Amino acid sequence: MMPGVRINKYCFLLLIVLLLISVGLRTIHLDADPAAWFIDEIGYQIDEGYKTLAPRNLSLYGTTQWNPHDEYTGWMTRSAMTQWAYYWGFKVFGTQLSSARVVSIIYAILLLGFTAVFLWRRYSPNTAVFGTLLLAADPGLFLFSRSALFETALAFFTYTALFIAVSIPVRKEPARPVLLAALSVPAFLFLKKSVLIYIGPAILALGLFAARQRVAMLLQRNRYLVVFAVLFLVAISGAAPFVYDYVGAVSPLHFGSVIHRPQKIFLNPVESLSPLALSLGYIALLDLLIRKPSAILNDGYRLALALIIMLAPIGLSFFIYNFPRYYIPVIPAALLMVVERLAIPASSFEDHRFRLGTLHGVFAAVVFLALAMTIWATLNRYVLTNLPIRLGEEPGLSVPALLLLYPLFLFLFACFSYVFVKFFRGWVNAYLIYLLVAVHLLVGLGVSTTAVTFPTYRTKAIQEAILMHVAPSRSLGGDWAPYFVVGTRLRVLYMRPDINGADHIRAIRPDYFLYSDTPYDRKNFKQITADEGIELKEPVLLGKYADRPISLYRIHYTGTNEQAGMLKTLYRHPK
């Protein structure tokens, strides 16, 4: 009995140390710029501004909209779980951006803690340490846990709800999907409705698992129909862009406002976040589907992870806005699938005969297609873009070229996989996943330490320049303006053409216009300069951020258009 107690205490101590290190690393230089060198997404670099604007206003001015004509209502009601947490962070620590980022760190540590407890109860203390380490070291999860955006909170509520639903004893299996759906309602109503993209596949999985006998009989009788349906969907996905681009009759249907290039169903931007995590998840799932399908089909939790890995990226690929950060809540499912695969004893793997026409065979084919595309896109991002030869107008292959060459890469990858597995089957099963896990941990540690050891402070430099030119009693507006004034007491307006646009500027009347050379700012600038009743003073160049020049314009309202008459804008923005 004593050895077991020692192991438990040792693992418990390891978990505490791991959580403390995770907190410590995440808080180092927390006020620095986002690590744009790793995540190529403009929203990751500036969206924290308008996502925290309402709680900032409430903290500073006692109201979410200090200007009665402000059209931007913020997220206070739509995402109360983040906004009120940001508000209390601002009240306790001040209105600097790091105060809001602490909220994401808290959600991240809670996620790690719930994961450790779940794995401890499901398997063993050692597994709990291993699984928690996998999630703690992931570079995508690490960087977004230092960002005042919603994805870390989405991941927390998705997986804690899943852990609770599969852990609580229930009399009947159909109660589990109902319980999971009920646990997801608060996040759906008070966090972000997109939580359904991640929790939906898990609810579906638990529902299918509850009705697995009937579903298995139905699919067994119609297995060829299932294969045909999957192939048909893949074919339609590949043909859709050509129909959309070249058939004029489709244009009036406005498909473009609903879906975005469904041929990229597997070409998602997750390779810019955690390519190793997703690849590991695919490999672990593929290995189980081929060698031990019962481990997936006869376990509701594993089936839930599998469907999140498979369906969430597919669902996200159909949206016009398809940013890398939207894939953050998929990463824990991929890493937890690795834990599931390694937790199964090697002796329990039967000599299973793989058949493509079965349900798990169809799943395996889809996972293999996604794995091949992930590796192909990762090679393009980290290898082809760094070659000394030019492959087009931009470094690396363009999206059309990636898709065009994907069938060739898929064929070569399939041949390589067949030969590799055939001649090194035992080595693959025993060591390949462990090797990739080690690489994942090393890459995660490297990214994390680089992010906190070599910070940049371009945001603060621009903020200081703004404070030199804008008096505390003045106000300014712009697309990126909320981001650059977090931490000050300046009154700021979030301005886009559809929210506080140039046609509304006479009502909101900002004293300054912060021009960040975004499409929104360019459109507003064009409209403002066309207004004969508004005069823009000479711009002040404040610096560069995200490779864009940031300029400040003093706005002078000369009267109505009728009164302005011959007045013209004195200065135009330089090319």
Side-chain angles (χ1 to χ4, degrees), residues 63-72 491 493 500 504 507-508:
T63 177
T64 58
Q65 293 169 288
W66 58 267
N67 188 318
H69 302 287
D70 186 3
E71 294 180 329
Y72 180 62
R491 299 176 184 268
L493 291 162
N500 294 328
H504 190 60
I508 55 177

Side-chain angles (χ1 to χ4, degrees), residues 248-275:
V250 177
S251 299
L253 298 179
H254 302 293
F255 282 175
S257 63
V258 181
I259 61 175
H260 179 60
R261 304 291 194 229
Q263 85 275 21
K264 294 197 295 184
I265 196 165
F266 296 126
L267 185 58
N268 54 64
V270 77
E271 78 278 351
S272 65
L273 295 173
S274 301

Side-chain angles (χ1 to χ4, degrees), residues 66 470 474-482 485 491-496 500 505 508-516 521 524 528 551-553 555 557:
W66 58 267
V470 182
R474 299 294 184 177
S475 63
L476 74 161
D479 184 14
W480 290 2
V485 302
R491 299 176 184 268
V492 66
L493 291 162
Y494 179 43
M495 293 180 63
R496 295 181 4 175
N500 294 328
I505 196 170
I508 55 177
R509 297 182 72 85
D511 297 304
Y512 290 86
F513 178 60
L514 189 68
Y515 182 91
S516 305
D521 278 345
N524 272 335
I528 293 172
S551 303
L552 184 69
Y553 287 85
I555 304 176
Y557 301 90

